[in-house]
Amino acid sequence: MRTALVTGSLIVTSLLSQGPYGPAPLPARLADTGGGSQLITAVAPAPGSTTGRLTWWDRRAGRWFEAGSAPARFGANGLTEGATRTQGTGTTPTGLYELPYAFGIGRAPAGTEYGYRRVTADSWWCQDNASAAYNRWVEPLPADCAPGEAEHLVTYEKQYAHALVIGFNYERPVHGRGAGIFLHVNGKGATAGCVSVAERDMRSILRWADPDRRPHIAIGTQEGPLAVTRY
């Protein structure tokens, strides 16, 4: 009897994951998608991976459809649980996050609807744990944020040509958890904890993203404790 029950449970689970039109798209298998009708998934093969796949999705008529996909890069030390991440570990935080606004050294791609902030010579991102401006864009750099504990955004000419702020540790920052996590343009290799894609893909994402549709980003692995489907 137990074997029959287990077998029946597996069949039901399989049918639910398949859906009426074949395998259910990834967003349909996530625990949460943020409640909007757009979603970005950033998925790595394993926690130690520095590369993976970024896909952006639209929800129409109750079903998720892939709008685009691109190779992605993650932190030099892979991925880690966002809720317990420690600053300076070179890891990308897993979880489901809002995308508060876009920014860039270059002009916003034609068709961008997201709020887009241009980087100037006075633009910094404070990562100083002793500062009241921790994990915030500041212009100019405040006295309580040491230059060595902040990113001078204009100096990252390639990476910050275009970017989206990932809302990790953003709404109510926990000092020491981490700051300045973005979706940005690829640099030379793995990131310091951000997610990155080629510039052409970043531009496509900015043209696609519609703030009225409340896009989020879900970051995780294909399976295991950090599986993206948990978030």
Side-chain angles (χ1 to χ4, degrees), residues 143-163:
D144 72 343
C145 187
E149 299 294 330
E151 283 193 348
H152 193 195
L153 299 179
V154 75
T155 62
Y156 294 87
E157 183 177 357
K158 184 174 178 62
Q159 293 93 324
Y160 297 157
H162 306 293

Side-chain angles (χ1 to χ4, degrees), residues 205-229:
I205 292 165
L206 289 176
R207 287 190 291 263
W208 159 85
D210 181 350
D212 291 337
R213 297 177 65 187
R214 295 186 294 158
H216 287 63
I217 185 168
I219 305 170
T221 56
Q222 293 176 356
E223 56 187 10
L226 301 180
V228 71
T229 52

Side-chain angles (χ1 to χ4, degrees), residues 55-121:
T55 306
W56 47 109
W57 307 82
D58 288 306
R59 184 172 175 83
R60 301 190 301 271
R63 184 170 170 82
W64 289 99
F65 296 88
E66 182 179 316
S69 186
R73 297 176 183 175
F74 299 99
N77 290 318
L79 291 76
T80 193
E81 173 60 57
T84 55
R85 181 181 185 269
T86 301
Q87 182 168 329
T89 54
T91 53
T92 297
T94 59
L96 177 71
Y97 304 107
E98 294 182 347
L99 298 163
Y101 62 91
F103 69 92
I105 295 171
R107 294 182 182 277
T112 299
E113 297 184 18
Y114 239 74
Y116 189 92
R117 191 168 186 178
R118 288 293 298 278
V119 173
T120 74

